[in-house]
Amino acid sequence: MKARIEEALNEQIKKEASSSHFYLSMASWAETKGLNGTAKFLYQHSDEERFHMLKLVKFVNERGGKADIPSVDKPQKSFESLENIFELLLEHEMQVTESINNLVDICLQEKDYTTHNFIQWYVSEQLEEEALARTILDKLKMIGTDKGGLYLFDRDLENSAISPDPAAEQQA
Ligand code: OFO
């Protein structure tokens, strides 16, 4: 594996680890506010990001590179509101999408079509994650500050099929 590709993949490993940590912090905040559905959703999302990281670690090592297991920065621990959480989540996912697109670019420049093929899974994943975050945010905007609406939103998220499912992803 070319050094430039290895470096870019290792940077992505760090980003996925940071995403996992960020969502874990959001989940923990939601749990302490009694928002159990949101907490469940975010704990799952955090696991999903860890899986994204692991998938990259294994790919780098299998292709003769060396995965760099990163230290991650402490994420913020309190949030203004549910809407604020999902705004931050969407913003974060948009940055990750940019970084995945950049990886695609590097693969093409380096003519590494194997890694390019591998990264396509992340391209589709980003599309889904951004769409999911936008759907949730739209719902929250509609609800506004209505307490009953927020209660139902949290309950729906607990049972919702739109929750990320790391178990299903691992079969992908
Ligand atoms: Fe790894 O997809 Fe979100 O960040």
Side-chain angles (χ1 to χ4, degrees), residues 12 15-16 18-20 23 45 48-53 56 89 92-97 100 121-122 125-126 129-130 169:
Q12 193 61 36
K15 291 200 169 98
E16 302 294 344
S18 299
S19 301
S20 176
Y23 301 156
H45 206 153
E48 192 184 334
E49 298 299 349
R50 186 168 189 279
F51 168 70
H52 296 174
M53 176 193 68
L56 281 157
L89 192 145
H92 186 80
E93 286 306 328
M94 285 164 69
Q95 283 168 15
V96 174
T97 300
I100 294 289
W121 183 87
Y122 288 83
E125 183 63 19
Q126 283 313 119
E129 289 201 352
E130 277 194 32
E169 279 210 335

Side-chain angles (χ1 to χ4, degrees), residues 54-148:
L54 269 180
K55 201 174 161 88
L56 281 157
V57 166
K58 291 185 177 165
F59 180 79
V60 170
N61 290 338
E62 275 162 14
R63 292 218 45 227
K66 279 198 180 61
D68 214 0
I69 307 305
S71 57
V72 283
D73 296 335
K74 188 173 160 57
Q76 79 181 73
K77 78 176 197 191
S78 62
F79 302 89
E80 286 162 29
S81 62
L82 268 182
E83 194 172 326
N84 175 234
I85 280 205
F86 285 98
E87 268 164 6
L88 289 171
L89 192 145
L90 176 59
E91 208 176 280
H92 186 80
E93 286 306 328
M94 285 164 69
Q95 283 168 15
V96 174
T97 300
E98 214 176 290
S99 144
I100 294 289
N101 289 343
N102 189 41
L103 249 171
V104 171
D105 235 32
I106 294 175
C107 289
L108 290 175
Q109 283 167 25
E110 297 294 327
K111 297 191 174 13
D112 182 343
Y113 301 115
T114 308
T115 305
H116 181 269
N117 188 41
F118 168 77
I119 289 298
Q120 293 313 304
W121 183 87
Y122 288 83
V123 172
S124 321
E125 183 63 19
Q126 283 313 119
L127 198 72
E128 279 176 28
E129 289 201 352
E130 277 194 32
L132 178 58
R134 282 197 181 91
T135 305
I136 291 176
L137 207 46
D138 284 348
K139 280 190 187 174
L140 281 170
K141 286 201 169 115
M142 239 161 33
I143 295 167
T145 53
D146 176 54
K147 286 208 165 76

Side-chain angles (χ1 to χ4, degrees), residues 29-48:
W29 177 86
E31 193 166 46
T32 63
K33 299 286 174 202
L35 298 162
N36 293 342
T38 307
K40 182 181 166 197
F41 173 91
L42 291 164
Y43 278 128
Q44 281 179 351
H45 206 153
S46 171
D47 284 348
E48 192 184 334

